[in-house]
Structures are given as C-alpha cells and as structure tokens.
C-alpha cells in the first residue's frame, strides 16, 4: 500500500465519492479504535451525502451491544469477549442492515449502552437510495452486512499511547483484531489517522 496525504475533509470526500458510485441502498461501516473518532468521521459523511440528494440513516454500534449479562459474562475486562461478544451482530443485521434493504426501514437504536435497557426506539422509514452510516470499533468483518467498510487506522504504538490506562486491558483485543481480521487489508477504504490533522489514504 502507498500513503496519499489528504486533508480531513478530503478523507471524508473520498468516502462520499465511493458511496455515490453505487445505486440503491448503501450500508457504510466506519471502524476504528475509539481514539480515532469513528463517530465524528461518520457524522461528517452525513451532510455531503444529503447535499448530494441521498437520504441518510445514522446508527452507532454502541446502541446495539448485547445485553450486559451476556457481554460481561466473563467479567468486565475480558478482551476476548470485547472482540467476540459485545456487538449484537444478529440484531444489527436484522433490525438495521437487512431491514433497510428488505423492508425499507431500520431501527436507530436497540439498547442504552450504559444501562442496558431497551431504548424503545421506533422504526425509521428509509426511502429508496438511503445510505446507512454505522460507526463502531472492532466491527469490520465481524459478520455485519455492510457494502462499504472504512477503517481509521493507527500504528500499534499510537494505539497504545491513545488507550487510557484504565482501558489497557482492551489492547489484547485490538492486537487479536489486527492479526485475525487484518482490517487494513480488508477494508474498502483505509485512512491512516496517527496524526488526525494530517490523515493519509492507504491505496493499493
């Protein structure tokens, strides 16, 4: 891969361009370590996509975590559970990623990530051509039915520096993720963000 320096807006514009080449419903996943700002990047896609005439549904994986009794079964600091058991992949596929295609609607949230209680959200209608923008972490190639995967990449050393001491237990999950999923090889778009103000597209 070669790195092509871009501005932060240029990185967003590149992803928007990729989305607009596809007709019909498009499901986009923005994945990365929490410090990369996946939610901010996903939010930044919304305005340009709407300006281009595409309806947008904005969803966060953190609102589709499994019930606490399931994801914390092995304790609150189990890195394997963080990687394998936290995101309710079945619910996200059923209520969002497949529903928006098959039924023309999606559920914007399922559970409050802090309380674990149902958000009681209602379905949102999705007109033809809707783009669902989903952000998450440790989410690429985990069985989610998405059409475009975007990975905000960090070097391992940067990842370590940007992980708070209380969350250091999570580093084992990110290491396993790099080895097993190889997100920089598997994502459709990779943006290197070790220096957020000076990102770079990694091009094959």
């Amino acid at each position: 891969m070669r790195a092509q320096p871009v501005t932060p807006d240029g990185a967003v514009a590149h992803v928007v361009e990729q989305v607009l080449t596809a007709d019909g419903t498009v499901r986009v996943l923005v994945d990365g370590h929490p410090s990369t700002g996946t939610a901010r990047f996903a939010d930044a896609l919304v305005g340009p996509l709407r300006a281009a005439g595409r309806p947008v549904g904005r969803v966060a994986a953190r609102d589709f975590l499994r019930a606490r009794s399931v994801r914390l079964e092995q304790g609150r600091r189990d890195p394997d559970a963080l990687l394998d058991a936290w995101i309710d992949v079945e619910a996200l596929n059923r209520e969002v990623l497949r529903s928006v295609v098959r039924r023309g609607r999606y559920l914007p949230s399922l559970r409050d990530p802090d309380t674990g209680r149902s958000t009681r959200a209602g379905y949102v209608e999705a007109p033809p051509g809707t783009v669902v923008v989903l952000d998450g972490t440790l989410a690429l190639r985990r069985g989610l039915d998405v059409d475009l995967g975007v990975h905000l990449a960090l070097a391992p050393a940067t990842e370590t520096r940007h992980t708070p001491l209380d969350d250091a237990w999570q580093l084992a999950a990110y290491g396993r993720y790099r080895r097993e999923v190889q997100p920089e090889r598997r994502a459709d778009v990779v943006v290197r963000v070790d220096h957020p103000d000076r990102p770079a597209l990694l091009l094959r």
Side-chain angles (χ1 to χ4, degrees):
M1 287 188 176
R2 63 183 178 87
Q4 176 181 302
V6 291
T7 64
D9 287 345
V12 169
H14 178 78
V15 175
V16 169
E17 182 181 354
Q18 300 300 307
V19 174
L20 295 179
T21 61
D23 295 324
T25 301
V26 182
R27 300 156 300 180
V28 182
L29 168 64
V30 180
D31 169 77
H33 184 272
S35 69
T36 62
T38 56
R40 290 193 303 273
F41 193 97
D43 288 343
L45 298 174
V46 174
L49 288 169
R50 286 179 175 160
R54 300 295 290 269
V56 181
R58 183 69 179 84
V59 180
R62 71 187 302 270
D63 294 325
F64 285 83
L65 298 182
R66 285 194 169 105
R68 297 170 93 180
S69 60
V70 176
R71 72 176 193 268
L72 303 180
E73 185 177 6
Q74 303 302 320
R76 294 179 178 273
R77 298 191 170 199
D78 185 282
D80 290 327
L82 176 64
L83 179 59
D84 299 325
W86 277 43
I87 297 176
D88 193 337
V89 172
E90 182 179 346
L92 256 175
N93 281 335
R94 182 184 66 247
E95 303 294 355
V96 180
L97 301 172
R98 292 175 188 157
S99 181
V100 72
V101 173
R102 297 174 183 175
R103 296 187 286 172
R105 64 179 190 174
Y106 66 93
L107 197 66
S109 63
L110 181 64
R111 297 185 186 92
D112 183 295
D114 297 318
T115 67
R117 296 173 182 168
S118 170
T119 61
R120 301 185 182 278
Y123 286 96
V124 176
E125 296 301 314
T130 291
V131 179
V132 170
V133 180
L134 168 69
D135 79 276
T137 186
L138 300 171
L140 192 68
R141 299 284 176 168
R142 306 305 293 176
L144 294 171
D145 285 345
V146 297
D147 304 299
L148 184 73
V150 179
H151 181 65
L152 305 183
L154 293 177
T158 309
E159 191 175 87
T160 300
R161 286 197 307 272
H162 289 184
T163 300
L165 185 59
D166 285 348
D167 295 333
W169 62 273
Q170 298 178 4
L171 290 171
Y174 286 96
R176 226 188 98 200
Y177 186 59
R178 274 195 305 276
R179 293 191 303 274
E180 295 180 6
V181 177
Q182 297 183 308
E184 292 188 23
R185 296 177 62 88
R186 293 180 178 271
D188 300 292
V189 177
V190 180
V191 186
R192 174 72 69 180
V193 291
D194 292 277
H195 303 283
D197 56 335
R198 291 177 283 125
L201 295 172
L202 297 188
L203 305 175
R204 294 177 178 82

